[in-house]
Amino acid sequence: MTVEFSIKNGNPEKQRNDCVIVGVFESRKLSSAAAAVDQAAGGYIDGILRRGDMEGKLGSSLLLHSVPGTLCDRVLLVGLGKERELHEREYRTAVGASVKALANGGAADVASFLAELPVKKQGIAWKVAQLAEVAMDSAYRFDQMKGKASKANKEKESKGIAKLIINVPQRNDLKKGEDGLSRGLAIASGVSFAKDLGNLPPNVCTPTYLAEQALALAKTHGLQVQILERADMEKLGMGSFLGVSQGSLQPPKLIVLQHKKGKKNQKPLALVGKGITFDTGGISLKPGADMDEMKYDMCGAASVLGTFKAIAEMNLPINAVGIIPTCENMPDGNAIRPGDVLTSMSGQTIEVLNTDAEGRLILCDALTYAERFEPEAVVDIATLTGACVIALGHHASGLFSNNDSLAKELLQAGENALDRAWHMPLWDDYQNQLDSNFADMANIGGRAGGSITAACFLSRFAKKFDWAHLDIAGTAWKSGKEKGATGRPVPLLTQFMIQRAGKSSS
Ligand code: BES
Ligand code: MN
Ligand code: ZN
């Protein structure tokens, strides 16, 4: 479903539409838009609150019909929590509650007055961008793979917000509102693209499919793109990446995307995304339960493509390179075995002690390949370890870096975008867990600190540049009833790019 957005400056009581959204603080304190409605309605809202129907608890809502003195059909009251505690996350919770409250109802044409709320440290543009992102997130559906009949049924049932007017408090906020809206919509479209790629089944979303998507993206947005085939990778000596792909009938691809909208001499930022389109574990086969979720093992790649879509739509003045090694990890007569030794493009040799630790094997060659772009910084994004999910759960991505100021920038971008990461150690103390008797290193470091030793492995291929690694195994998708890709960390990465673009232009 698509939502049509616009920015306006008007009075809540004068909106002629299906619903007006206004906020209520705890305890029963009206926001300025709610107060304006209340005044037009002769104290009607205040009366309802006093009767105890709503306290203003964060995330609560109350839908009212035919409020006197207004021109709209409905007024949705949204709980904002304590006024002094309305920070970024609370704001997003309130916005999320407002969208959810209308998701299955009859209100299609809606005006939200939540962007007027004071959120510490954030201005109109941020609030509008978040509103657009949250509304798009809630409107997202993945029914590409459903049959005709169930699709037709869905269409008929489809309800919820179709037109969303975002109100700003003053006329001279309109420009900031428009800027925030286009930024929010660009991020939302990157997120939605990444979700689609993640949700597609592994028999559709193959390495070849990802390469085609990159070609199409490049064509639409005027990006440069190059697809390296197996023969090209053989010439480059990518023995580690090719080792992982050799058990699959699907040909591997190395996708290279370039967005060149910055100054000519400006070094590019590189994003490297893990693109395992299905991870069976290989000969070190995974257990059967939930193995279907290993279709999400290309979410790092999807986040790179999503971020490039977002920065291209914004026409962000920056130079960026996206590098995506993509293949399948399958068991087969030709697959790599535990004990095999692979020679990476860097020349370093790797003893494969577990074929299920394949992400690092494809990323290491992609990192070496990144050197040729002389990048200002490299960020890799990967659903790399189950251990990261144990460490951080599903809330924060794991962040590792060989440069503390780069780490800080990424953490900051994550906070701002409400797509958080947490800084993990990359101390040398962990490195010897990767010792091998037969090669320069082993591809696993034992159970203890599994996400850290995986990052340590990658760090050996990232010596020539400032580098950060995001382990998104816990954040890229949801399991259970709400199973689906989240589109994370497209918001974090895009915000990082925006921050960098701001720095280099000023
Ligand atoms: N793609 C997985 C990581 C993963 C596992 C992500 C579960 C999300 C949920 C990765 O390729 C993998 O299999 N990692 C192994 C590494 C181990 C063999 C050292 C893991 O985490 O078990
Ligand atoms: Mn694996
Ligand atoms: Zn994997």
Side-chain angles (χ1 to χ4, degrees):
M1 238 175 61
T2 53
V3 185
E4 200 185 297
F5 292 87
S6 55
I7 306 290
K8 291 219 171 102
N9 164 245
N11 301 323
E13 71 280 8
K14 294 197 180 132
Q15 304 297 312
R16 261 176 216 284
N17 58 16
D18 298 339
C19 187
V20 166
I21 302 172
V22 297
V24 177
F25 293 105
E26 201 173 333
S27 305
R28 303 188 300 248
K29 181 174 184 264
L30 303 178
S31 66
S32 61
V37 173
D38 188 54
Q39 197 173 21
Y44 182 82
I45 307 278
D46 207 39
I48 285 174
L49 298 183
R50 260 187 286 123
R51 263 171 257 139
D53 286 343
M54 192 186 193
E55 266 301 303
K57 272 213 164 27
L58 181 64
S60 64
S61 64
L62 182 66
L63 187 61
L64 308 173
H65 290 260
S66 314
V67 173
T70 62
L71 301 176
C72 55
D73 295 341
R74 304 168 187 78
V75 172
L76 180 71
L77 304 181
V78 179
L80 304 172
K82 302 228 167 69
E83 189 167 11
R84 262 186 294 134
E85 289 168 13
L86 186 67
H87 300 293
E88 285 102 331
R89 302 189 70 75
E90 288 75 18
Y91 174 78
R92 191 171 64 177
T93 302
V95 168
S98 73
V99 176
K100 247 180 236 131
L102 300 178
N104 296 308
D109 186 354
V110 174
S112 176
F113 284 74
L114 298 184
E116 301 187 358
L117 299 167
V119 177
K120 310 228 159 60
K121 291 190 286 187
Q122 299 294 358
I124 294 288
W126 182 90
K127 288 183 279 186
V128 170
Q130 278 295 329
L131 227 164
E133 285 175 55
V134 171
M136 290 293 284
D137 200 66
S138 157
Y140 178 84
R141 298 283 176 278
F142 184 81
D143 45 22
Q144 292 183 46
M145 306 309 293
K146 303 247 176 175
K148 269 194 194 132
S150 75
K151 252 191 216 162
N153 267 338
K154 275 254 165 82
E155 299 266 301
K156 260 188 249 152
E157 281 171 24
S158 98
K159 286 187 166 177
I161 301 175
K163 265 173 88 177
L164 184 59
I165 299 170
I166 301 174
N167 222 85
V168 294
Q170 275 155 13
R171 298 204 120 262
N172 64 9
D173 290 326
L174 286 167
K175 170 82 173 65
K176 285 180 216 147
E178 293 289 353
D179 290 349
L181 179 60
S182 53
R183 181 178 294 188
L185 288 179
I187 293 174
S189 114
V191 164
S192 153
F193 185 37
K195 283 185 188 174
D196 279 349
L197 294 171
N199 287 331
L200 279 167
N203 60 332
V204 173
C205 186
T206 59
T208 304
Y209 181 86
L210 284 179
E212 285 164 4
Q213 291 301 304
L215 286 166
L217 183 70
K219 195 164 178 201
T220 320
H221 293 288
L223 309 178
Q224 286 178 22
V225 63
Q226 199 190 354
I227 311 292
L228 276 67
E229 307 290 340
R230 183 182 272 129
D232 305 314
M233 298 184 247
E234 275 164 5
K235 272 189 216 127
L236 288 164
M238 295 186 163
S240 187
F241 178 16
L242 289 171
V244 175
S245 71
Q246 78 192 31
S248 169
L249 293 179
Q250 295 292 336
K253 307 275 171 183
L254 185 76
I255 302 168
V256 183
L257 263 176
Q258 286 184 268
H259 168 102
K260 293 183 172 173
K261 306 275 169 70
K263 294 196 188 104
K264 256 224 164 105
N265 54 4
Q266 180 82 41
K267 291 179 168 181
L269 288 172
L271 300 183
V272 178
K274 172 179 174 183
I276 295 288
T277 60
F278 196 73
D279 182 11
T280 64
I283 296 299
S284 313
L285 195 64
K286 284 183 181 296
D290 299 326
M291 206 206 269
D292 66 290
E293 294 193 3
M294 283 301 120
K295 72 174 182 177
Y296 292 116
D297 214 16
M298 35 56 69
C299 283
S303 77
V304 173
L305 291 170
T307 301
F308 272 71
K309 186 168 167 83
I311 64 172
E313 285 186 10
M314 288 185 290
N315 219 352
L316 199 67
I318 198 168
N319 295 330
V321 191
I323 302 171
I324 297 173
T326 172
C327 69
E328 267 185 338
N329 186 22
M330 300 292 270
D332 178 79
N334 196 41
I336 48 169
R337 297 152 283 253
D340 280 5
V341 173
L342 304 174
T343 302
S344 67
M345 182 179 172
S346 73
Q348 299 176 91
T349 60
I350 304 159
E351 185 188 11
V352 180
L353 288 178
N354 189 319
T355 65
D356 197 12
E358 85 297 341
R360 60 199 83 180
L361 295 176
I362 71 170
L363 288 168
C364 68
D365 282 340
L367 287 170
T368 302
Y369 188 76
E371 287 172 9
R372 67 186 52 207
F373 298 98
E374 295 178 21
E376 195 161 85
V378 178
V379 181
D380 79 69
I381 309 98
T383 48
L384 202 63
T385 64
C388 190
V389 191
I390 303 302
L392 298 174
H394 300 286
H395 300 286
S397 303
L399 170 67
F400 303 81
S401 181
N402 63 11
N403 180 303
D404 278 345
S405 79
L406 174 62
K408 234 173 148 182
E409 257 183 281
L410 287 160
L411 289 174
Q412 187 54 50
E415 292 286 345
N416 196 288
L418 295 176
D419 179 8
R420 294 197 284 193
W422 187 254
H423 199 172
M424 302 278 282
L426 190 69
W427 298 322
D428 283 343
D429 310 49
Y430 295 89
Q431 287 283 359
N432 63 13
Q433 286 180 242
L434 295 170
D435 286 352
S436 159
N437 287 352
F438 306 104
D440 294 338
M441 69 193 87
N443 79 327
I444 54 170
R447 269 169 58 80
S451 69
I452 304 170
T453 51
C456 284
F457 179 97
L458 295 177
S459 74
R460 297 175 179 214
F461 302 84
K463 293 229 152 96
K464 301 212 171 122
F465 37 67
D466 291 346
W467 157 81
H469 156 62
L470 285 165
D471 193 329
I472 59 166
T475 52
W477 76 90
K478 290 182 181 163
S479 310
K481 215 170 154 256
E482 284 182 81
K483 190 189 284 186
T486 60
R488 290 179 70 182
V490 170
L492 180 159
L493 294 169
T494 309
Q495 179 60 31
F496 170 65
M497 295 272 179
I498 293 170
Q499 286 170 199
R500 281 280 173 133
K503 262 194 205 153
S504 63
S505 69
S506 59

